[in-house]
Amino acid sequence: MSALEKVFYSPVGQGVAKKAGLSEPPTLRRGRTWPQGAIVLAPLEGATLGKLTLKALGRAFEAPVVDTDTDQAPGYGSRIGALMVDATALTTLGQLEQVRAVLRPAMKGLERSGRIVILAAAPAGGWEQRALARALDGIDRTVGKELRGGATTNLVYVEPGVRPGDLASTLEFLLQGRSAFVDGQTWTVSASGTKATVSDKPLAGKTAVVTGAARGIGAAIARTLARDGAHLIVVDIPPAGEALAAVANEVGGTALHLDITAADAGHTLAAHIAERGHELYAVVHNAGITRDKMLANTDAARWASVLDVNLQAQMRINDVLLNPKTKGGLAKGGRLVGIASTSGLAGNKGQTNYAASKAGVAGLVQAMAPDLADRGITVNAVAPGFIETDMTARIPFVQREIFRRTNSLSQGGSPVDVAETIGYLLDPASAGVTGQVIRVCGQNLVGA
Amino acid sequence: MSPEAVIVGGNRIPFTKAGGRYAQASNHDMLTAALDGLVARYGLAGERVGEVAGGAVLKHSRDFNLTREAVLSSALSPLTPACDVQQACGTSLETTVYIANKIRLGQIPSGIASGVDSASDAPIAVSEPLRRILLKANAAKTVQQRIAAFSKIRPQHLAPAAPSVKEPRTGLSMGQHQARTTESWGITREAQDELAATSHANLAAAWDGGFFDDLVTPYLGVTKDTILRPDTSVEKLGALKPAFGGPEGTMTAGNSTALSDGAAAVLLASREWAEEHHLPMLAKVVDAEVAAVDHPSGADLLLAPVAATGRILERNGLTVGDFDLVEIHEAFASTVLATLAAWESEEYCTGLGLSGAIGTLDRSKLNVNGSSLAVGHPFAATGARIVASLAKMLHQRGPGSRGLISVCAAGGLGVVAILEAV
């Protein structure tokens, strides 16, 4: 800890910081926890999807307070846990008034770490309908920036034919503490016809591979997937073996020393899985490196190593695991997850190589998803923002403090926040979520 | 048919020079790390293994139950029993035999053979007179008696007693013993340095080729054996001064093993257990033999494995040519060379009661991925290191490939074993 950092966190320093508007950020609700207060459902224009999905989740819900356009917004008697706006039946811009009328009372009526979830029809149809879908996205992003106390808002686009069973895992994730650091985001759920239902052990009996699992986010992913019932094969380079062994033993999995950039890495991995008698359900391509330099100083070696580890290696491994002839390859109905980054989506000074690789991951999953849909395999990415890890702890204090506060939740995320989002994508009930890039960034101010 | 004992795989921590990166680590710590790496590699967290046998040569009195305590610190089920075995440098080849025999008798379905040694954390004892005084003071019933006991302490009693690496019956160190053997067998300096250089080159190549990726788990930030000198050569080794055998001696620090720290473990199982757990089967333990020489009467201290090798070959109807790979522990380069010379000597072998010379070894089969001169030699860990590495090499060569292990040990002991790839 630097001298400046010590002063900042001293009692005197904290007093000054508070006056400067840098108060201690809210503690976020995490884990498989539901909101404490009531879940309020606002079905607009007779929409039923939200109601049926909440019923499928076994959650009780209440009717919303609706603003009647007075000076003072009407309030909720006691703070509510969540507001779900089912806007899937809206078709005209004029109907956005109904959205305002249910959101206004909730803006100051939500409990800490409360939730707003907006359901809307995926952009389609005529000009006005498409404009409407995008308008809701603008509302979501702005609401995220106005909410306080660790509350979040997210927008889910639902494709035609989506049934409550397709949406249940998404809604469960958004309402629970697992989505603590996912804020102001929008993604799409499609009809999948899945029969899987949500549970606290959705991955029981399933085998997942996590690369780069010795430390930080990778270790958190392994722990979270193990909590959800998965059997873990944790992978890292041989020099990281000591920490990797500790993770493997903690989660009751197996450790595999493997350099993912080796030409035969995919075959080594598949052979290991086949030998141990597992059916491979999911691969989380978490391993990644940074070799930061301004582009003016970036040589070919820095360029190549980052692209190879962060993007090309997982493509080579996927090629092997997706070949139906590969023993130990990915099963039908399996899951692939890549790790993108807000640096890739928004660009970040000094990280051209990293941004290329991470934006490439986003492009890759979007390209792969439709091609693998007929095998029931989903392919998604998460894009972490500022996450508190050993890597980010090395950023100088002032810069780090700026990074961690420049988002709607005024704090850095925890590795477990990334892990929980991946756990949601791996849930068998998330079969309708594919080709998506979900940012886990607390609604970072940068990035699209 | 009695069950076979198969080697599933092994794990060790990188070996280091004593007083190096593991200077603050105890035998308990290192053995626990070796076990935890093995548990992680084979997914055994929380598993009750049949038995863990381990040991150390240099041992603190507090470590009377070293292996059991390491099991309790490890990720294995606390219901896993354990025992300590000690047979000098042969310890973890002997624990391998012990576990394999129990598996073959059907007493346990699985087990871990292990060994550890720290020359950095060697126990220091108080002198014998001081120890007696302290015991007397401890037993005293009155203050006067206690003062009387303490009053007997003299300054010379306060010198600590470090563990001796001398042979108790001859008063000679192992190096001094081996220097005699080196001279009497006419082992040249050049041949010793050549063998040492080959050991380093072979080990370096094995590391570069990823051979140890599934045999070693880093410990305390050490990712590779630190004694290894990939760039050493016969010329460089030739420049070293003699360490044993006087000014004309041929044994140097370069062609003798360094005092080392490290730990190693091997997972063994019945075929059924390995299949049930979907674990690999590299090689089976075919047979083992332990021999001893009468070194107090002048026999070569470190050549006991020769008799053991001759007897095990005769018992199994095998010759040297029947082995694809041979591992002879490199206590000193000259030990290996004297062993090979003894194998070829009709006179020496018949003197041991064998029917004739053991034979000549094709040197291209010897220690092909390096041995103790380059890896280091934490006494009790060496056997398990060799067993795991050899089992993997045999497996790579295909079913039926046969390997011989020969380990010399203090006290004029020699342990040998035959492995065969499955």
Side-chain angles (χ1 to χ4, degrees), chain A residues 231 234 237-259 272 274-278, chain B residues 11 33 35-37 39-45 75 212-223 277-281 395:
Chain A
H231 174 77
V234 292
I237 50 172
E242 185 178 5
L244 187 70
V247 172
N249 290 341
E250 183 189 333
V251 303
T254 59
L256 177 64
H257 296 176
L258 176 69
D259 178 352
H272 178 83
E275 178 180 75
R276 299 297 172 93
H278 299 302
Chain B
N11 182 61
L35 291 175
D36 274 342
V39 168
R41 181 161 300 135
Y42 297 105
L44 302 176
F212 293 109
D213 283 359
D214 59 355
L215 288 170
V216 174
T217 301
Y219 180 56
L220 300 183
V222 181
T223 58
H277 288 72
H278 297 286
L279 291 175
M281 290 181 267
H395 183 68

Side-chain angles (χ1 to χ4, degrees), chain A residues 8-9 13-27 112 148-149 401 404-405 407 409-412:
Chain A
F8 183 82
Y9 284 110
Q14 284 291 285
V16 174
K18 204 167 181 178
K19 289 209 172 81
L22 294 174
S23 55
E24 192 62 15
T27 302
R112 294 175 80 82
R148 292 285 171 267
E401 203 55 35
R404 63 157 67 111
R405 285 177 185 273
N407 62 60
L409 299 171
S410 311
Q411 59 190 296

Side-chain angles (χ1 to χ4, degrees), chain B residues 21 44 48 74 93 100 110 161 164 177 179 182 191 212 229 237 245 248 298 302 320 333 347 353 389 400 422:
Chain B
R21 303 275 292 275
L44 302 176
R48 178 169 65 86
S74 79
L93 186 52
S110 63
S164 167
H177 265 287
T182 306
F212 293 109
R229 293 285 170 273
L237 289 164
E248 299 305 307
L302 299 181
V320 175
E347 188 194 343
S389 287
V422 294

Side-chain angles (χ1 to χ4, degrees), chain A residues 39-88:
Chain A
I39 295 172
V40 171
L41 174 68
L44 307 180
E45 295 292 337
T48 58
L49 183 63
K51 181 175 79 179
L52 294 173
T53 308
L54 280 175
K55 280 189 171 166
L57 287 171
R59 307 312 298 182
F61 50 88
E62 296 178 4
V65 171
V66 181
D67 178 44
T68 49
D69 198 20
T70 50
D71 284 353
Q72 194 73 38
Y76 283 91
S78 57
R79 287 187 178 268
I80 59 170
L83 169 67
M84 193 165 123
V85 182
D86 186 347
T88 52

